[in-house]
Amino acid sequence: MNTNPFADFKAAGTEQELAVFRESIQSQGFTAFRLLLEGFRDRLKQFSDGDIAAVNKLLAQAKQLFPEPGTFSPSWVNIWDEFERIAAYKQTVLETIPVEEREGEWQVLLDNPYTNSDLVCYPGLSFLEGAYLYAYFRSDLKQNEYIRLQKIQNLVMAFGSERQEEPK
C-alpha cells in the first residue's frame, strides 16, 4: 500500500482486493483511516456533474468495508452519513445551477438572524469550491440558520492599507 489509501481504495476492483485493503487499513489503524477520509473529502470537494454516480458508489463501498468508523476514532462515528449528505447537497447544487452559469466568483453566506452571532462569509470562491462549502455547511444547519450560495455579479473592493480619498 502506498501513502495514499484513497487511491488504493479506488484501485481495488475485486472483492479480494477490497478485503486486502480493509485488512491493511485496520492493521495500520487511525492514521491510515484518517488518510482515507482525507482522500474522500478531497474527492467530495472536486467532483462535478459526471462524477456523482461514481462518488456515491465509492461511499457505499467504504460504508460496507468500514461499517463502524468510530472504532478508529469516536469523532468518526457518523462520518459516512456526513459524507453522504455532503454529496447529496452538492449534487443538488450541481443540478440546480446550469454549467453555463458557473464561471466567475462565488461566495457562501451563513447567518442566523435570531442570534447576535456574526454573519459568516466565504468570498472569492470558484463554483466547485462554493458548491462544496455550501454542501458541507448545509449538512449541519442549526435551527433558524440559513445558507446561501451566490454568484458575485458586480464587485467594488478596497483594502484598509490604501490611501483614503474622499469620494467626489
Side-chain angles (χ1 to χ4, degrees):
M1 187 158 109
N2 67 39
T3 58
N4 186 345
F6 187 73
D8 293 340
F9 171 65
K10 285 188 348 183
T14 66
E15 291 298 319
Q16 183 178 359
E17 290 170 337
L18 287 169
V20 168
F21 174 77
R22 180 181 59 241
E23 289 173 21
S24 173
I25 294 292
Q26 287 174 333
S27 70
Q28 294 178 63
F30 174 88
T31 300
F33 194 73
R34 181 184 55 80
L35 291 172
L36 174 66
L37 295 181
E38 285 178 12
F40 259 108
R41 197 164 298 278
D42 287 342
R43 187 70 180 114
L44 290 170
K45 288 176 183 177
Q46 296 169 11
F47 87 83
S48 193
D49 303 78
D51 304 321
I52 294 167
V55 166
N56 288 332
K57 180 182 177 198
L58 287 172
L59 283 169
Q61 243 178 357
K63 195 173 185 178
Q64 185 178 4
L65 280 181
F66 304 103
E68 296 180 19
T71 59
F72 294 98
S73 170
S75 63
W76 294 328
V77 167
N78 299 312
I79 195 69
W80 301 133
D81 294 336
E82 176 188 332
F83 282 1
E84 286 171 341
R85 284 191 308 273
I86 290 170
Y89 287 127
K90 186 171 177 187
Q91 179 178 349
T92 299
V93 169
L94 294 172
E95 291 172 348
T96 302
I97 300 173
V99 173
E100 60 273 6
E101 295 179 17
R102 296 180 185 175
E103 288 297 316
E105 182 179 337
W106 292 78
Q107 68 183 15
V108 173
L109 297 168
L110 287 157
D111 194 16
N112 184 337
Y114 300 105
T115 67
N116 6 345
S117 62
D118 293 331
L119 172 88
V120 178
C121 182
Y122 294 88
L125 304 171
S126 70
F127 173 75
L128 284 180
E129 290 168 332
Y132 171 77
L133 283 179
Y134 174 90
Y136 176 80
F137 290 118
R138 171 66 182 90
S139 68
D140 193 33
L141 282 183
K142 307 296 184 245
Q143 185 173 354
N144 297 319
E145 285 183 334
Y146 70 84
I147 187 167
R148 293 173 59 159
L149 171 63
Q150 55 194 29
K151 184 175 184 177
I152 306 299
Q153 297 293 2
N154 297 301
L155 177 68
V156 174
M157 190 165 135
F159 294 92
S161 61
E162 293 178 1
R163 188 175 137 240
Q164 300 295 316
E165 292 183 24
E166 291 297 318
K168 294 183 181 187

